[in-house]
Amino acid sequence: MACWLMKSEPDTFSIDDLANRPRQTEAWDGVRNYQARNFMRRMKKGDRIFFYHSNCAVPGIAGLMCVVAEAYPDPTQFDKKHHHYDPTSKPEEPRWSLVDVQFERRLKRLISLAELREHEAQLPGFQLLMKGSRLSVIPVREEHWDYILKLEKKSAPG
DNA sequence: GCCAACGTTGGC
DNA sequence: GCCAACGTTGGC
């Protein structure tokens, strides 16, 4: 069972939005980056995911979710009216994929990017912390997953 | 194949 | 709002 991290801007779609969806499930559409797409195509049902709030006042991991449907074509790529419409993608050979994710729980407290950086030494190779890393879908090593979840139980830093 | 220009991401 | 880092596009 693999672990992942997926970013979303909370102004657009937050952990609360996911929790409020029917069946607390959402199709993770709009990814238009090949590396991120390829990671999604590797996801298996039951894989665990950190829900990361990006581009906001306090970026960080806000909750947990899991994969409930493995990769299939992102329908928004064929929708002319959609912001993520891709005229170069053909239905017979879809370029972009998505997975369905399901809410698991909110973290008891947000684990901020700043806090994660304090633990950089214990998270070697964690792509989120790499300089210039902007990928919205990244793999998380299991030992990193466990370490980060243990931080939740500690009191907030500062 | 190179690389400049451009658009996007996302922390701060 | 600024800007660094990155990905993509397209001229040559």
Side-chain angles (χ1 to χ4, degrees):
Chain A
M1 195 110 68
C3 305
W4 308 90
L5 178 146
M6 295 172 100
K7 299 179 183 176
S8 179
E9 303 190 11
D11 288 349
T12 306
F13 188 76
S14 71
I15 186 78
D16 291 331
D17 293 324
L18 179 63
N20 291 329
R21 280 289 194 266
R23 296 183 309 284
Q24 299 189 312
T25 296
E26 177 78 354
W28 202 267
D29 62 24
V31 171
R32 295 294 181 269
N33 171 283
Y34 290 106
Q35 259 185 287
R37 178 203 69 180
N38 293 343
F39 284 138
M40 282 201 293
R41 287 182 176 177
R42 279 169 41 191
M43 289 182 184
K44 297 292 179 196
K45 206 170 168 180
D47 281 4
R48 295 171 295 176
I49 310 167
F50 284 137
F51 193 126
Y52 180 90
H53 283 174
S54 68
N55 202 16
C56 55
V58 186
I61 298 169
L64 307 181
M65 52 187 180
C66 63
V67 177
V68 289
E70 294 175 14
Y72 61 95
D74 179 344
T76 66
Q77 70 194 303
F78 305 122
D79 180 355
K80 285 193 174 63
K81 294 185 288 286
H82 200 279
H83 180 239
H84 292 293
Y85 173 60
D86 182 352
T88 67
S89 181
K90 301 278 165 283
E92 59 273 20
E93 199 183 343
R95 176 167 305 179
W96 304 112
S97 303
L98 55 71
V99 296
D100 289 353
V101 298
Q102 186 168 49
F103 177 83
E104 198 173 310
R105 66 177 178 88
R106 292 176 189 79
L107 293 192
K108 294 180 189 71
R109 61 185 188 84
L110 182 112
I111 306 206
S112 71
L113 178 62
E115 181 175 357
L116 289 168
R117 285 205 190 287
E118 291 174 16
H119 297 267
E120 211 161 356
Q122 287 75 245
L123 300 168
F126 187 26
Q127 285 192 44
L128 183 76
L129 305 181
M130 301 257 165
K131 189 186 173 190
S133 169
R134 302 179 315 176
L135 262 191
S136 65
V137 180
I138 60 181
V140 179
R141 293 186 203 163
E142 196 168 348
E143 62 265 32
H144 292 175
W145 177 280
D146 294 340
Y147 183 86
I148 291 165
L149 271 190
K150 277 181 201 152
L151 295 179
E152 184 190 14
K153 299 192 183 72
K154 298 184 182 175
S155 55

